[in-house]
Amino acid sequence: MARIAHRMDDIKPFHVMALLGRARELEAQGRSIIHMEIGEPDFVTAQPIIDAGVKALQAGKTHYTPTMGLPALREAISDYYLSHYGVEVPAQRIAITPGASGALQLAFSILINPGDGVVLADPGYPCNRHFVRLNEGQSIAAQVGADSNYQLNEAILKTNWTEKSVAAMLASPSNPTGALVGDDDLKAMYDFVTQQKGTLVVDEIYHGLVYEKQAKTALAISDDIFVINSFSKYFGMTGWRLGWLVVPEAYVDAVDRLAQNIFLAAPTTAQHAALAAFEPETIAIFNQRRDAFAERRNYLLPALRELGFEIPVTPDGAFYLYANCETFSDNSYEFVSELLEKAGVAITPGIDFGEHAASKHVRFAYTTSLENLKEGVARIRRFIKS
Ligand SMILES: Cc1ncc(COP(=O)(O)O)c(C=O)c1O
């Protein structure tokens, strides 16, 4: 009999994986499926990055890099903070990690003692509460909705903060809602958390994919904030497994020690390849893709509203629309399953992002072509009418 640790009872799978599996089965049977469930850009990694990766391999760059990352890449990210955000972030505070996932694992492991509380937005990225659990902490699900632009704010944070709380975590723009946190809200939350002697952790993985506004990094507020980012989304490198964590000075040694022990270093080829991500010609490709995402959002948002999905606030970024589907069903999982079986459209049920009103919500990802989105909307329309 398998002797699996008790903590694993609380580590839930992504429900969307079962749906994706079913979608693949249907495709194998010859059915056409429109994929609007996938949380990664449909674009292949930009060619200059692929070329740099191939070149690194051909030059035999196959050994470990230093644990904190290739010095040139840490410098390039530091330069990017200065040129893009006008914020000075010393390379020495930047740890290169296997995706934002590696950065989250480091951050939570370094901050949480058993029993410590971490306030998280619900709905939010589900892995965060699992990282808290792995470290024997308690996640505190703070309900967010349209009234707070689907983000935490100071008032919500205050209501949910307990004497056991040591950190608050938010993603801006958020997955699943695409909502950006307000600059003043972020500052107020930072002030509150600091007053409570806690730590603010901000996931900026969807920065770059913001359509009208200019996202500011939380590092502009203070050097004391843990900031997570990644090459997965705007930089289009999901499969290369590369991200980074910016930590306050006092935590650098702890991050280095822990990263040595849990993954030694981020993938070497990916790090060499990512150096090309900061070249102007590559940034131009990313920005074209960002514009394509904006165009898709601008099509899909009114189309879904017109069908009867409620999306009260226009999302600022990422590539998601989080929609209330109550007009059609009060069980979003069933709704999503039926939509897949009967209409051949795959979307993600709310339950993948927490518990708050999860059965009334679904997430649409516009990580497929405009043409596919139009076909998806046509299929949903027929499904709803029938
Ligand atoms: C909010 C958020 N954070 C972190 C991640 C992890 O990304 P990665 O490990 O690919 O960088 C994701 C992936 O979807 C995400 O949506």
Side-chain angles (χ1 to χ4, degrees):
M1 208 176 71
R3 287 171 51 90
I4 296 173
H6 298 316
R7 68 173 68 85
M8 285 306 298
D9 296 346
D10 298 324
I11 309 298
K12 306 289 178 224
F14 295 131
H15 290 87
V16 71
M17 286 320 220
L19 284 154
L20 184 59
R22 179 64 187 145
R24 299 283 183 227
E25 244 173 59
L26 292 172
E27 281 172 324
Q29 292 164 16
R31 287 273 305 276
S32 139
I33 304 295
I34 301 289
H35 290 278
M36 295 161 83
E37 81 283 39
I38 293 175
E40 63 176 324
D42 47 326
F43 304 108
V44 170
T45 297
Q47 197 59 43
I49 298 178
I50 295 180
D51 293 344
V54 169
K55 215 167 127 195
L57 283 174
Q58 279 170 342
K61 293 183 176 161
T62 56
H63 299 97
Y64 295 132
T65 67
T67 292
M68 293 290 274
L70 211 56
L73 185 58
R74 298 170 76 197
E75 286 296 342
I77 294 171
S78 169
D79 292 348
Y80 185 69
Y81 276 109
L82 194 59
S83 62
H84 189 76
Y85 299 103
V87 176
E88 275 190 45
V89 181
Q92 189 254 340
R93 293 208 284 120
I94 300 169
I96 310 295
T97 55
S101 306
L104 288 164
Q105 191 183 352
L106 286 175
F108 285 123
S109 307
I110 281 168
L111 292 171
I112 299 174
N113 279 313
D116 284 349
V118 180
V119 181
L120 304 166
D122 179 356
Y125 183 58
C127 305
N128 294 333
R129 69 173 185 276
H130 295 146
F131 284 122
V132 174
R133 176 66 188 90
L134 282 179
N135 289 289
E136 308 291 340
Q138 305 268 339
S139 56
I140 303 159
Q143 300 185 352
V144 296
D147 51 343
S148 70
N149 188 26
Y150 295 98
Q151 274 290 357
L152 293 179
N153 59 29
E154 189 194 6
I156 300 173
L157 205 50
K158 274 185 175 160
T159 313
N160 286 279
W161 193 269
T162 70
E163 57 194 21
K164 296 215 158 162
S165 302
V166 297
M169 151 108 215
L170 60 96
S172 176
S174 131
N175 176 8
T177 68
L180 205 58
V181 73
D183 297 337
D184 294 345
D185 285 325
L186 192 59
K187 172 78 171 73
M189 283 192 274
Y190 168 72
D191 289 342
F192 171 73
V193 170
T194 308
Q195 236 175 44
Q196 303 297 318
K197 305 206 181 329
T199 306
L200 187 62
V201 182
V202 182
D203 182 345
E204 298 185 345
I205 186 170
Y206 292 102
H207 269 217
L209 296 174
V210 175
Y211 304 121
E212 279 90 26
K213 298 180 185 161
Q214 185 65 37
K216 290 188 185 152
T217 174
L219 295 165
I221 296 177
S222 168
D223 292 345
D224 268 358
I225 300 175
F226 278 61
V227 168
I228 282 136
N229 209 322
S230 174
F231 286 94
S232 286
K233 311 289 172 159
Y234 170 68
F235 298 95
M237 295 178 67
T238 41
W240 299 74
R241 308 309 303 127
L242 202 64
W244 72 88
L245 173 66
V246 184
V247 290
E249 181 70 42
Y251 294 85
V252 170
D253 174 61
V255 167
D256 193 348
R257 259 186 297 135
L258 184 59
Q260 284 171 26
N261 280 278
I262 56 181
F263 45 74
L264 271 169
T268 299
T269 313
Q271 294 192 62
H272 284 284
L275 284 170
F278 300 100
E279 297 298 331
E281 54 160 344
T282 325
I283 300 265
I285 299 171
F286 300 147
N287 289 344
Q288 260 172 21
R289 293 174 174 189
R290 177 202 57 208
D291 294 346
F293 280 123
E295 193 186 1
R296 294 172 184 182
R297 184 204 60 176
N298 293 344
Y299 161 71
L300 191 61
L301 177 63
L304 292 178
R305 281 175 172 161
E306 199 252 323
L307 287 178
F309 291 95
E310 255 181 69
I311 308 168
V313 190
T314 297
D316 303 300
F319 30 61
Y320 306 119
L321 296 176
Y322 191 64
N324 186 316
C325 61
E326 249 182 318
T327 319
F328 315 112
S329 168
D330 56 7
N331 181 335
S332 59
Y333 192 83
E334 257 172 44
F335 177 74
V336 161
S337 305
E338 261 190 71
L339 192 65
L340 176 60
E341 297 292 334
K342 297 196 176 144
V345 176
I347 57 174
T348 306
I351 192 174
D352 266 349
F353 308 103
E355 290 179 358
H356 173 50
S359 61
K360 296 181 193 165
H361 285 85
V362 293
R363 186 193 74 178
F364 292 84
Y366 40 95
T367 47
T368 187
S369 67
L370 201 53
E371 197 189 349
N372 281 345
L373 294 178
K374 287 182 179 167
E375 173 60 20
V377 166
R379 290 184 188 186
I380 297 170
R381 181 176 290 115
R382 286 197 294 273
F383 171 74
I384 287 166
K385 285 204 171 135
S386 69

